[in-house]
Amino acid sequence: MEILWVLIALVMMSFVIGPVLMRRRAGIQQVAPGDPDAADPANYGFVRQEELDIRMPGPDQDLLDVLDVVQGTQNHRAASQLLAGTEAEGERRWQRVQAFAGAAALELQQRPGGVSESPGGQWLRVWRAEAPKDAGGAAVHAEFLVQQAWRTSTPGTDDFRIIMEEAKAACGEAALLAPGDPIPYIIELSVARGLAYPQPEFEKLWLKILDRAPTHMGAHLAALHYWCEKWHGSRELAYAFAEAAAARAPQGSLLAAMPLFAVLEHLPEVNLVSGFYQSEVVTKAVHGALFAVHAARPDDPMLAHVRHLLVSFLVRGERWAEAMNQLVHVDGHVGALPWTLTADPAADYAIYRALAVAGYEANGGSPATLQA
């Protein structure tokens, strides 16, 4: 019986990845590593899989330097100073809050503490104790609680609700310390999803964010989760939210890419539809994201997020050259959707990268013809 299930699984996998592994006309064929015909991502200067950074979608050297100091010394002061010097309404501060909270949560997971050692992430506890009025520390603590809830418990359980209620209170404290800061309310969007806020209550929270940072991409992505079919909305509501955001996006805003994120949230678990990734809905969303990327500032902190998602859709749509053009901008960092949805983001990204290289070369491309 086990053999039968394995055979069924293999057949289903062939339906899912078959269209990606070979181009219908040009014919991409898998060969063994080291084969003379094997496409080698290293020829394009791409980073080896084991060296890919899964912590962030793109480079932020200041953040990495501070994380090294904080985790090496278990002293929070460098983190406090970095957040204090980062624009409150911008995307980068939100990303840094997430990074500090994630680092503390991962430390705690790896070193829960015991009789002979202190728990990981102790620097965050000390931060809150020594500087209770520090708005940055309060925001990181609230986000830490949110991440802990999702990491360590199951939605709907008592444990999950207890941690989320604590996170909600922490969001309120952080908001009082910095009334104009959108980040405490952005953190609460995840609380709203976990605690199943009624839609009127969620919309009231959303208006507070729009008052403070109406074009904040990270906030829109967090809100999109709530409106998705698998949470508290529907496919129609999620698409409407994303398309409305794209329609009101100012020139140069990456909000024009929101429909592609809505498509990602509603992908079928197993795709048996030939040409799905060339369909009108997907194609329109991909073109919107490409437009957003071309119009965005090169230093926009959310640009890497959109590029990573484009790589996934462009590879699945067999648009090899366009996928390669995105890869040259993001390679090296893989802490972004859709890779972070998997157990091994670096491995998943590396597979798509290899397929892009293979497809590009099967259609006459080479390192010499690729332009950054």
Side-chain angles (χ1 to χ4, degrees), residues 121-143:
Q122 184 66 22
W123 53 269
L124 178 55
R125 296 178 183 83
V126 174
W127 188 356
R128 294 296 295 128
E130 291 185 350
K133 301 298 184 182
D134 186 332
V140 172
H141 178 238
E143 174 64 15

Side-chain angles (χ1 to χ4, degrees), residues 9-312:
L10 289 173
V11 170
M12 296 297 288
M13 286 178 64
S14 70
F15 278 112
V16 178
I17 67 174
V20 179
L21 294 178
M22 60 180 65
R23 186 172 179 82
R24 288 187 294 270
R25 294 185 177 85
I28 298 175
Q29 312 216 340
Q30 276 190 309
V31 295
D35 187 287
D37 293 327
D40 187 357
N43 292 337
Y44 296 84
F46 292 148
V47 174
R48 294 168 61 88
Q49 178 180 328
E50 59 269 25
E51 296 174 355
L52 291 168
D53 191 328
I54 65 173
R55 295 172 294 180
M56 298 183 298
D60 185 346
Q61 194 58 50
D62 289 341
L63 173 61
L64 291 179
D65 291 343
V66 169
L67 274 173
D68 287 342
V69 171
V70 169
Q71 294 184 307
T73 65
Q74 288 295 296
N75 191 312
H76 66 273
R77 289 184 178 82
S80 178
Q81 291 170 0
L82 182 65
L83 288 181
T86 307
E87 180 188 8
E89 295 80 13
E91 306 282 354
R92 194 172 299 282
R93 188 164 184 270
W94 167 229
Q95 292 185 7
R96 288 174 172 175
V97 166
Q98 288 180 298
F100 286 130
L106 183 58
E107 278 186 35
L108 182 58
Q109 179 182 339
Q110 294 173 340
R111 197 174 69 251
V115 176
S116 60
E117 66 174 1
S118 61
Q122 184 66 22
W123 53 269
L124 178 55
R125 296 178 183 83
V126 174
W127 188 356
R128 294 296 295 128
E130 291 185 350
K133 301 298 184 182
D134 186 332
V140 172
H141 178 238
E143 174 64 15
F144 167 81
L145 291 171
V146 166
Q147 292 193 26
Q148 279 294 96
W150 292 109
R151 285 170 182 260
T152 64
S153 52
T154 303
T157 63
D158 289 342
D159 286 346
F160 182 84
R161 176 168 288 278
I162 288 170
I163 301 174
M164 277 297 187
E165 291 288 359
E166 188 178 353
K168 182 178 181 179
C171 288
E173 293 175 14
L176 289 174
L177 290 172
D181 188 350
I183 289 181
Y185 301 103
I186 297 173
I187 297 171
E188 193 179 346
L189 290 173
S190 187
V191 176
R193 176 162 55 98
L195 294 181
Y197 282 19
Q199 288 188 7
E201 186 177 351
F202 182 86
E203 289 171 346
K204 183 178 178 181
L205 171 62
W206 181 239
L207 287 176
K208 292 179 181 178
I209 295 171
L210 291 183
D211 286 343
R212 292 163 174 81
T215 61
H216 199 289
M217 180 76 170
H220 280 79
L221 291 177
L224 177 63
H225 290 308
Y226 177 91
W227 293 114
C228 286
E229 190 173 59
K230 60 188 174 185
W231 287 106
H232 310 297
S234 65
R235 180 188 300 265
E236 292 73 24
L237 286 172
Y239 276 38
F241 175 81
E243 288 166 2
R248 66 172 182 269
Q251 178 66 27
S253 169
L254 287 165
L255 288 177
M258 283 297 298
L260 190 60
F261 286 90
V263 171
L264 173 70
E265 291 293 337
H266 295 88
L267 287 177
E269 291 187 12
V270 177
N271 175 38
L272 303 179
V273 180
S274 176
F276 173 80
Y277 288 96
Q278 293 88 14
S279 66
E280 181 180 354
V281 171
V282 175
T283 299
K284 182 180 177 181
V286 166
H287 286 169
L290 286 170
F291 169 80
V293 164
H294 292 152
R297 301 189 328 270
D299 63 343
D300 191 316
M302 294 301 294
L303 185 54
H305 285 273
V306 181
R307 289 191 187 278
H308 277 289
L309 189 58
L310 275 169
V311 168
S312 171

